[in-house]
Amino acid sequence: MNDLSKIPVTVVTGFLGSGKTTLIRHLMQNAGGRRLAVLVNEFGTVGVDGDILKSCAIPDCPAENIVELANGCICCTVADDFIPTIEALMALPTKPDHILIETSGLALPKPLLKAFDWPAIRSKITVDGVIALADAEAVAAGRFAADEHAVDLQRKADDSIDHETPLSEVFEDQISCADIILMSKADLAGEAGLAAARKIIEAESPRTIPILSMSEGVIDPNIVLGLNAAAEDDLAARPSHHDGHDDHEHDDFETIVVPMPEIDNIDALVAAIEKLANEQHILRVKGYVAVSGKPMRLLVQAVGARVRQQFDRPWGAESRQGHLVVIAEHDHIDTAAIRATLGA
């Protein structure tokens, strides 16, 4: 740290399903003696990501050091949620050596950085660095845009017209604010995909910064922690589409939580989620489901039509009531149709 009295904070940002939780879990398990605290901002009402991290809490990052903010986007609830939570973490009996913040997939990092200048906390913490994750396979295919083909056609028709979608603005703002960019899921992208993704990212980044590839969230913590960026004092070098605005809206996106009954067929659930992505343009599905005859919870994580699922822990004494968080652009949320497709 430049100022040893300040606790360093690493902001982990990235688009939906880019692997932020997986990265933070890896950092928790390889903290190198640092006592960590983690703040998770879940965009929606059910804290799936926080639950995942708490399930792997370790002495260097105990469960009480993992806090969720589930009341909305962190950059829109600074005064009500973020500042009090940071103050609570710094008031722990044993102060953390380093704080990790996982933003929601829709959060813009720059408004969050501005919050570090609030009088209540500016003398106590500093932004060690902003780490932006980009799903290499998705970026290579242009899937950070809602309809990449339509955008491409419009741009080819008239280079003077800017038809950026809200999704691409989120992507660009996160890239522009970063100190390091991690291209996640490199194993799925392959060498050609990584090269294509790097080219896109370099074109969007206003500065020359490291762009590294990783798989399953594995990266040397010494590369991403201890950057001493003091990013809160470097805002001018981090341009945003929303510069000059005091706030921003997320009305383009909507989140619903679908209660799920116990299921018999995992493959049928996977097929239903793929159908949501292909036919209803759903961006993200995540949550837990109970499977008949299985004592373990089924963790489901989907980005578009790519679905990953695994049994994570026993249900124990809690109710075997599942739920799935579904995120899409506002015009693509049809609650009744989504529930019908999922069999809810």
Side-chain angles (χ1 to χ4, degrees), residues 168-198:
S168 63
E169 286 192 6
V170 171
F171 174 81
E172 290 164 11
D173 277 17
Q174 292 173 347
I175 293 299
S176 295
C177 201
D179 294 291
I180 291 179
I181 296 169
L182 300 180
M183 296 190 295
S184 62
K185 304 173 186 176
D187 52 331
L188 300 178
E191 290 301 321
L194 287 173
R198 178 181 291 274

Side-chain angles (χ1 to χ4, degrees), residues 147-224:
D147 187 344
E148 68 273 13
H149 181 63
V151 172
D152 186 53
L153 289 178
Q154 289 165 340
R155 284 181 170 175
K156 287 179 179 177
D158 187 345
D159 290 339
S160 68
I161 297 178
D162 184 3
H163 288 282
E164 295 289 306
T165 68
L167 294 179
S168 63
E169 286 192 6
V170 171
F171 174 81
E172 290 164 11
D173 277 17
Q174 292 173 347
I175 293 299
S176 295
C177 201
D179 294 291
I180 291 179
I181 296 169
L182 300 180
M183 296 190 295
S184 62
K185 304 173 186 176
D187 52 331
L188 300 178
E191 290 301 321
L194 287 173
R198 178 181 291 274
K199 185 176 180 180
I200 291 171
I201 292 168
E202 287 177 340
E204 298 295 350
S205 179
R207 300 173 292 151
T208 300
I209 60 175
I211 303 174
L212 308 174
S213 60
M214 69 174 185
S215 299
E216 301 297 335
V218 177
I219 191 79
D220 186 342
N222 292 318
I223 293 175
V224 296

Side-chain angles (χ1 to χ4, degrees), residues 276-327:
L276 286 178
N278 294 327
E279 298 182 9
Q280 299 184 45
H281 308 290
I282 299 303
L283 298 171
R284 190 83 163 92
V285 177
K286 54 185 175 180
Y288 301 102
V289 179
V291 180
S292 298
K294 302 292 185 180
M296 305 278 283
R297 299 187 315 180
L298 183 72
L299 169 64
V300 179
Q301 296 269 16
V303 183
R306 185 200 301 151
V307 185
R308 302 181 71 175
Q309 40 83 16
Q310 67 184 68
F311 290 103
D312 72 327
R313 69 166 176 80
W315 283 96
E318 66 185 293
S319 169
R320 289 170 61 88
Q321 174 63 59
H323 61 258
L324 293 176
V325 178
V326 180
I327 305 174

Side-chain angles (χ1 to χ4, degrees), residues 236-255:
R238 304 165 192 263
S240 164
H241 285 281
H242 299 265
D243 285 342
H245 298 281
D246 292 332
D247 54 23
H248 68 279
E249 300 296 333
H250 288 307
D251 292 341
D252 298 293
F253 304 96
E254 187 171 344
T255 301

